[in-house]
Amino acid sequence: MRKRILAYSIYYYPEIASVAQIYTELFEALSDDFDITVICAVPCYTGEVSPKYREKRFYDEEHGGVRIIRVPVRSFSKTDKKSRILNILDFWRGARKVTRQLGGDFDLVFTYSQPPVLGGMLGVYGAKKVQAPLIYGIQDFNPEQIMAVGYVGGTLLHKIMMILDKRSCRKSSCVIVPGRDLAETLKQRFVGKDVPHCEVINNWADDKTIIPLSKDHPQVLAFGKQYGLDGKFVIMYSGNIGLYYDLESLVRVMGEFKEEEDVVFVFVGNGVMKALLEVYVEKNRLRNVLFIPYQSKEELVYSLNAADVHLVTNAKGIKGVSCPSKAYGVMATDVPMLAVLEEGSEVWCLVEESGCGICAHAGNYDEFRSALHCVIDERQKFVEAHRGGRSYLDTYLTRELTVGKYKMLFNDIVQ
């Protein structure tokens, strides 16, 4: 008999968030072997909720062989903490209510670390209600992440969050993390005590869809023409323009290259820091810094391939806390990477092991400046020397390999 999995994922198909794409692809790939029910929020990642998702108590749908139960949440602004928190609490309450209505008869519960801390607690609640083992996927450690950037709360709140999330880890049959440095963070949480069982399973890109394309591919050319990238050397940041990437500091260094008329710095995406960056760029007349909207999943391969070099970053203090999964999409295109990270972080190690780019230490802006000079002044040599990402990904990091690890783990736990 096929085993049944109950999963929680605040963002899910058709959301553009990277975690939504990862777990959508994972559960759809596993649907040949398991019956999977996903409880998620109605589409709201951009902050807006479509009118069609404002009418019912919940929405029961199906996509890719997966049952999807969506709970209603309110719209929010990414720059308004209160509205964001209320949106999250809507999901928390709605997901618990749906869990009670579903009842038991599940063999496994899966949750991940969004919303921060509450995602783990929701999994613990669901596992208790349906009397099934729990797997907790930690994409971002909190409160460590918010502490690193001072986003919200004080010492007492952080202590409470740590207690609650450590409890979720202890209640789990397995904690999955996407990087070796995150596994070390889990160990450090439980120094001198039993460390919960942990598996390192990397994230991935859709390596069947995100592939290397030449610069003269018609749709890559069309993307470049649409946004005025023709004849430019394109250094691109693609993804969430959020709090944890130190982009407000890096753009100041980019501003020192504003006289490089044949070089353009491109930010593709959206996020809470975008408006701040736009103000800085406009105030300082940085004409070679551009902002481009999120690209749909279908168009992403063309935008990624329009870059000559991709910028992948995390702020200082994020090592062992979060892994920038955008790196896998960059590697899938075989476009070289300039990684601004902490030494020993998962993506730093991947860049060194694959030879797909160069690394600069997060928070060291002189080093970032020197790296940009290297990339720009020796652009042809740099690009030709760092074409190792795709071959490394095909050997070690394909979606098929990663899904196989999840399948094996799920089967081991539900036996």
Side-chain angles (χ1 to χ4, degrees):
M1 180 180 294
R2 284 161 59 94
K3 301 297 184 180
R4 300 187 67 208
I5 297 174
L6 174 63
Y8 298 97
S9 181
I10 183 171
Y11 303 122
Y12 197 73
Y13 170 87
E15 298 280 42
I16 56 178
S18 60
V19 289
Q21 296 181 37
I22 286 169
Y23 289 123
T24 298
E25 292 172 8
L26 173 64
F27 295 140
E28 290 184 1
L30 292 174
S31 66
D32 290 337
D33 300 281
F34 302 94
D35 289 333
I36 302 176
T37 298
V38 175
I39 300 176
C40 62
V42 299
C44 64
Y45 182 70
T46 62
E48 291 298 320
V49 176
S50 169
K52 77 174 185 176
Y53 283 119
R54 298 177 184 174
E55 300 172 354
K56 300 180 182 178
R57 291 183 298 170
F58 64 87
Y59 300 81
D60 200 335
E61 303 173 356
E62 188 276 339
H63 185 271
V66 176
R67 183 186 182 189
I68 306 169
I69 303 178
R70 305 188 191 276
V71 300
V73 296
R74 70 194 72 193
S75 298
F76 69 94
S77 167
K78 292 194 175 185
T79 59
D80 182 346
K81 292 180 185 179
K82 182 179 178 180
S83 70
R84 183 74 180 95
I85 291 170
L86 291 173
N87 168 272
I88 288 171
L89 290 176
D90 285 344
F91 171 66
W92 163 257
R93 289 190 293 263
R96 286 166 60 96
K97 184 174 182 179
V98 169
T99 302
R100 292 193 296 270
Q101 293 175 344
L102 284 174
D105 201 23
F106 287 94
D107 302 289
L108 181 67
V109 174
F110 177 91
T111 193
Y112 84 104
S113 54
Q114 281 289 338
V117 180
L118 293 179
M121 293 173 62
L122 188 55
V124 171
Y125 175 85
K128 183 177 180 179
K129 280 293 181 184
V130 305
Q131 294 295 295
L134 171 66
I135 292 180
Y136 185 15
I138 297 184
Q139 293 287 340
D140 309 294
F141 276 101
N142 274 294
E144 291 94 333
Q145 188 180 49
I146 61 173
M147 290 168 63
V149 296
Y151 178 59
V152 67
T155 302
L156 179 60
L157 176 60
H158 296 156
K159 285 182 177 179
I160 294 171
M161 292 174 70
M162 180 66 80
I163 290 169
L164 293 172
D165 206 55
K166 287 173 69 174
R167 178 177 180 271
S168 298
C169 292
R170 289 193 189 97
K171 294 286 186 179
S172 302
S173 297
C174 181
V175 176
I176 299 174
V177 294
R180 290 160 280 187
D181 53 333
L182 279 81
E184 187 60 33
T185 297
L186 184 67
K187 291 179 183 178
Q188 292 170 4
R189 276 187 166 189
F190 295 90
V191 173
K193 300 180 181 179
D194 292 336
V195 179
H197 176 57
C198 178
E199 294 285 342
V200 178
I201 304 180
N202 61 273
N203 290 335
W204 66 89
D206 183 354
D207 50 274
K208 304 300 183 186
T209 301
I210 306 299
I211 58 175
L213 297 174
S214 66
K215 290 293 186 291
D216 59 359
H217 184 282
Q219 283 162 293
V220 176
L221 283 173
F223 177 86
K225 183 176 181 180
Q226 180 179 358
Y227 294 105
L229 309 181
D230 296 350
K232 305 288 188 179
F233 185 74
V234 179
I235 300 174
M236 180 181 291
Y237 176 92
S238 179
N240 179 30
I241 306 175
L243 289 166
Y244 307 112
Y245 310 105
D246 198 23
L247 296 174
E248 67 274 24
S249 297
L250 299 184
V251 79
R252 294 189 184 100
V253 180
M254 295 175 191
E256 298 175 21
F257 295 80
K258 63 182 179 181
E259 303 303 326
E260 299 280 353
E261 295 182 357
D262 60 342
V263 175
V264 60
F265 298 95
V266 179
F267 291 87
V268 181
N270 205 343
V272 67
M273 298 302 296
K274 183 178 179 181
L276 185 150
L277 298 186
E278 288 177 321
V279 168
Y280 183 85
V281 167
E282 182 64 27
K283 181 179 179 180
N284 291 275
R285 300 180 181 180
L286 306 184
R287 303 307 179 200
N288 63 341
V289 178
L290 301 179
F291 295 90
I292 295 174
Y294 268 120
Q295 300 299 294
S296 68
K297 186 176 180 180
E298 293 73 24
E299 299 296 320
L300 184 62
V301 62
Y302 308 122
S303 65
L304 290 177
N305 275 284
D308 294 288
V309 174
H310 275 281
L311 180 63
V312 175
T313 80
N314 262 346
K316 190 173 182 179
I318 299 298
K319 175 187 174 183
V321 173
S322 181
C323 180
S325 58
K326 62 174 63 67
Y328 301 102
V330 173
M331 295 174 77
T333 64
D334 215 27
V335 174
M337 192 185 311
L338 170 53
V340 184
L341 305 165
E342 290 172 275
E343 187 170 359
S345 60
E346 179 67 19
V347 173
W348 180 294
C349 294
L350 292 179
V351 171
E352 288 194 332
E353 292 164 1
S354 67
C356 71
I358 60 173
C359 298
H361 289 84
N364 188 330
Y365 306 116
D366 288 336
E367 195 171 321
F368 177 55
R369 184 181 299 106
S370 296
L372 282 178
H373 274 296
C374 174
V375 169
I376 292 169
D377 297 343
E378 303 180 35
R379 63 192 69 175
Q380 184 174 352
K381 181 180 177 181
F382 177 85
V383 170
E384 291 175 355
H386 296 97
R387 292 285 192 186
R390 181 70 198 203
S391 61
Y392 186 94
L393 182 142
D394 285 339
T395 303
Y396 302 108
L397 300 172
T398 64
R399 180 174 63 174
E400 183 179 0
L401 287 170
T402 301
V403 169
K405 294 177 182 177
Y406 273 96
K407 180 180 175 181
M408 183 179 301
L409 177 62
F410 285 9
N411 278 321
D412 286 346
I413 291 178
V414 299
Q415 282 181 353

